[in-house]
Amino acid sequence: MVSSKLRVWDLPTKVFHWGLVLSFVAAWLLRGDRYLHLHVLAGYLFFFLLLFRLYWGLAGSFHARFSSFIRPLPEVWEYLKKATGRKAPRHLGHNPAGGWAVLLLMSLGLMISITGLLTLGVEEGHGPLAGILGREWAALFHASHQALAWAMLSMVGLHLVAVFRESVLHRENLPLAMLTGYKRTDTKARAENVQPHAAVALALLGVMLGFSLWWGRGYLLHSGNEPYLPFSGPMLSRNALWEEECGACHLAYHPSLLPRRSWNRLLTQQENHFSEDLYLDAGTISRLRAYAVTGEAGNTVTEASWKIHNSIPAAKTPVRITETGYWKNKHKDIPEKLWTRSDIGGRHNCTACHLDARQGWFEDGAMRIPFNEKNMTRIM
Amino acid sequence: MAIKVNRRMMSAIFLVGISCGLVVTAQVSAVQELLAEYGREGAGKYNAVNGEKLWKRVQVDAKTGQKRSCVTCHTNDLRKPGKHARTGKLIKPMAPSVNADRLTDKKKIEKWFHRNCKWTLGRICTPQEKADILAYLANQ
């Protein structure tokens, strides 16, 4: 025996393993609306690593190849029976149960990636699958994405338990082996060092780093007073008269945030506009009305308009965006003392937290609660 | 280094001069025309001092019990920006000396008189009150 240690895992396999761990954890921690832009980056890296692993399962070094660790199911059954009796034989590469776990984890990962891209495309209108299906599919994709992520987390848990048990049983540190790539040789298995494939690993890291930098270029290159908006919404209608008349007293809420009947009611009862008399002439009112009804929420051009519109019962005609079910539900966790904070001022002040409120987009990634009055720029 | 005044610069200076003149003219004419109209509607001689008093007079709103005056939103210094009492929206300075757009549009002046008299006083203003306030603001 030349050496007591053998290189079992090549560099690309190690990069894949730990890269997948990091991107999965990052995507999990950055779930939800606020960090959507970074969640999606983690998702792209996760997807890319899985696709690479599929290729590497065919073209990689011996222990990385599917053919070396996918065993027939009866063999897996035999192994599992021995493993429960703590008599599982040691394997240099993946054991028969572990091999199938790899496949299962990868399948879950790929399904998570695809449902994630579908959610991004259908619910948010972003990414390569933007708008391929109507928004009514969004809930299904989103729920599947979440359920699959939980399934993968459970599989990860099982994987950790198995790794721990096997490490104890054979008195070797398996997580360390996945870091160093080396395992001790005391089996009659293929006793050869695998190629490290450093160039492939470097290319893999390079592509991921390059993509991450490109993805985040807006944060790095951005300058000026306006905040950087990671997601740009659809082109929405604009109207100078609307901006001027509504914007004179408050944010000129985009017409896509309330249905047609609400705008009609608001403009009809202009003498009592939240207890102010607007005193606009008939011509101005009719021009404002024409603009509002063509851009109303029923067009469902944005995620917000679609969800607001769906949350209003047909018999109701809200005159406040904050009366709608979707708005209430989305803001239910915000404590009252935040609303009354001097730099926020109340529920009417969308711009306090939504950086793209003026555009009417209300993208998930453009929402943040300001820390204090100093970093708060009120642009209305 | 001598500054060469070429034809383009000359015309630019000319245009800037013309537009400044136009703004001032618009302001003067809008205010003058409205003062004349208020006179026709029954207002006597306008009085800027009465205008200032009315501007700063505190009124208790019947419905809410809130104390309200023009100063509530426009602040005590007309050369400084104000803040909408309910929405927090920034209000550009009222004084024409720092905000040349002020008092240049008759329709706009009338709209805000109607809207803000109702909010502040709970009624529309008389021609006399409007004339006095306009005279007060125009000098700021």
Side-chain angles (χ1 to χ4, degrees):
Chain A
M1 202 188 279
V2 184
S3 162
S4 63
K5 276 163 83 182
L6 265 187
R7 190 190 297 112
V8 175
W9 309 121
D10 60 23
L11 278 166
T13 303
K14 294 195 285 181
V15 169
F16 161 77
H17 180 271
W18 296 112
L20 200 73
V21 170
L22 285 178
S23 56
F24 184 77
V25 169
W28 190 283
L29 295 178
L30 298 167
R31 72 193 181 280
D33 296 344
R34 166 69 175 83
Y35 297 102
L36 184 67
H37 193 239
L38 295 174
H39 173 89
V40 170
L41 169 63
Y44 276 131
L45 296 177
F46 180 80
F47 191 29
F48 173 71
L49 283 165
L50 285 166
L51 292 178
F52 168 79
R53 189 63 183 87
L54 281 180
Y55 160 75
W56 205 237
L58 303 172
S61 63
F62 179 77
H63 292 291
R65 285 204 296 272
F66 297 128
S67 58
S68 75
F69 63 77
I70 303 300
R71 310 302 306 160
L73 288 175
E75 200 175 313
V76 176
W77 184 239
E78 278 305 306
Y79 176 84
L80 280 173
K81 274 201 289 192
K82 286 180 192 162
T84 47
R86 294 183 172 273
K87 277 173 263 168
R90 181 170 179 267
H91 288 257
L92 204 50
H94 295 295
N95 68 52
W100 281 94
V102 169
L103 274 195
L104 189 56
L105 277 166
M106 285 182 64
S107 316
L108 282 171
L110 288 168
M111 289 192 286
I112 289 172
S113 307
I114 290 162
T115 51
L117 281 171
L118 283 166
T119 308
L120 182 69
V122 174
E123 186 168 328
E124 307 289 329
H126 294 299
L129 305 182
I132 56 155
L133 281 168
R135 283 209 159 83
E136 64 276 12
W137 289 89
L140 175 69
F141 294 141
H142 202 148
S144 321
H145 186 60
Q146 289 172 326
L148 287 162
W150 276 105
M152 184 154 177
L153 189 71
S154 321
M155 272 305 292
V156 168
L158 206 59
H159 167 65
L160 291 177
V161 169
V163 164
F164 179 76
R165 278 186 61 125
E166 203 179 327
S167 291
V168 170
L169 186 62
H170 301 298
R171 300 182 182 284
E172 66 176 340
N173 188 337
L174 287 177
L176 187 68
M178 189 46 87
L179 266 175
T180 62
Y182 286 94
K183 289 177 85 171
R184 84 174 180 268
T185 59
D186 58 3
T187 65
K188 281 168 242 131
R190 190 183 169 107
E192 257 174 59
N193 275 318
V194 297
Q195 288 291 314
H197 290 292
V200 177
L202 268 177
L204 190 60
L205 282 171
V207 167
M208 291 195 296
L209 184 69
F211 180 77
S212 304
L213 285 173
W214 175 80
W215 187 259
R217 70 195 180 284
Y219 293 107
L220 304 171
L221 303 176
H222 179 72
S223 61
N225 300 325
E226 297 282 304
Y228 169 64
L229 300 175
F231 291 110
S232 292
M235 282 294 287
L236 293 182
S237 55
R238 301 237 75 87
N239 181 285
L241 185 70
W242 184 267
E243 306 279 329
E244 193 195 327
E245 291 299 346
C246 310
C249 288
H250 51 70
L251 169 69
Y253 305 105
H254 196 270
S256 65
L257 298 170
L258 279 178
R260 178 190 302 247
R261 60 185 185 279
S262 295
W263 294 119
N264 271 325
R265 173 176 284 187
L266 275 164
L267 290 163
T268 306
Q269 58 183 37
Q270 67 144 331
E271 324 68 53
N272 188 13
H273 186 79
F274 307 100
S275 62
E276 302 224 19
D277 183 354
L278 298 184
Y279 199 59
L280 295 166
D281 60 70
T284 305
I285 286 286
S286 75
R287 278 187 292 157
L288 290 175
R289 189 193 301 271
Y291 170 63
V293 298
T294 49
E296 55 119 9
N299 298 336
T300 68
V301 281
T302 60
E303 183 193 358
S305 65
W306 184 65
K307 291 186 171 173
I308 285 173
H309 194 255
N310 285 347
S311 76
I312 305 173
K316 290 261 165 68
T317 306
V319 289
R320 287 180 163 92
I321 299 158
T322 54
E323 285 171 23
T324 63
Y326 176 65
W327 190 96
K328 283 186 184 166
N329 189 40
K330 266 306 211 199
H331 297 82
K332 66 175 188 292
D333 294 331
I334 296 175
E336 190 58 36
K337 66 172 193 288
L338 203 66
W339 294 115
T340 51
R341 219 170 74 180
S342 62
D343 56 332
I344 292 171
R347 287 168 171 77
H348 62 276
N349 190 10
C350 310
T351 33
C353 302
H354 294 275
L355 301 178
D356 57 356
R358 279 182 310 153
Q359 288 89 336
W361 290 334
F362 295 90
E363 291 285 339
D364 291 347
M367 182 267 304
R368 62 218 55 197
I369 290 163
F371 288 121
N372 53 43
E373 297 197 53
K374 276 177 200 150
N375 70 357
M376 169 64 204
T377 47
R378 186 179 299 221
I379 324 154
M380 288 204 286
Chain B
M1 201 176 106
I3 298 169
K4 275 191 195 162
V5 181
N6 57 24
R7 282 181 63 182
R8 264 174 90 180
M9 268 185 80
M10 282 287 282
S11 47
I13 292 166
F14 182 70
L15 279 175
V16 169
I18 286 279
S19 9
C20 288
L22 280 176
V23 167
V24 172
T25 319
Q27 211 168 303
V28 170
S29 65
V31 171
Q32 291 307 328
E33 283 173 31
L34 271 180
L35 286 174
E37 278 174 34
Y38 295 148
R40 285 195 291 278
E41 289 165 18
K45 178 82 181 120
Y46 56 82
N47 183 331
V49 177
N50 286 347
E52 183 175 2
K53 275 187 205 150
L54 182 59
W55 184 266
K56 294 179 177 168
R57 197 171 80 197
V58 179
Q59 189 90 10
V60 178
D61 182 59
K63 263 188 246 163
T64 62
Q66 287 172 326
K67 284 179 183 171
R68 292 175 179 178
S69 76
C70 304
V71 171
T72 308
C73 297
H74 294 291
T75 79
N76 264 313
D77 187 348
L78 292 173
R79 280 176 292 271
K80 294 235 172 79
K83 198 175 154 189
H84 193 288
R86 294 176 70 197
T87 69
K89 165 82 170 62
L90 196 87
I91 301 169
K92 286 178 190 157
M94 277 309 296
S97 59
V98 292
N99 182 3
D101 287 342
R102 287 298 184 205
L103 314 185
T104 56
D105 183 341
K106 271 163 58 179
K107 205 169 129 187
K108 221 169 163 175
I109 298 172
E110 275 289 275
K111 180 180 81 184
W112 287 107
F113 264 140
H114 185 98
R115 209 180 266 181
N116 290 351
C117 284
K118 273 191 129 176
W119 185 80
T120 316
L121 307 173
R123 58 167 174 82
I124 55 168
C125 289
T126 64
Q128 182 67 55
E129 288 169 329
K130 290 196 280 190
D132 292 347
I133 286 181
L134 204 52
Y136 165 62
L137 291 178
N139 291 333
Q140 298 302 307

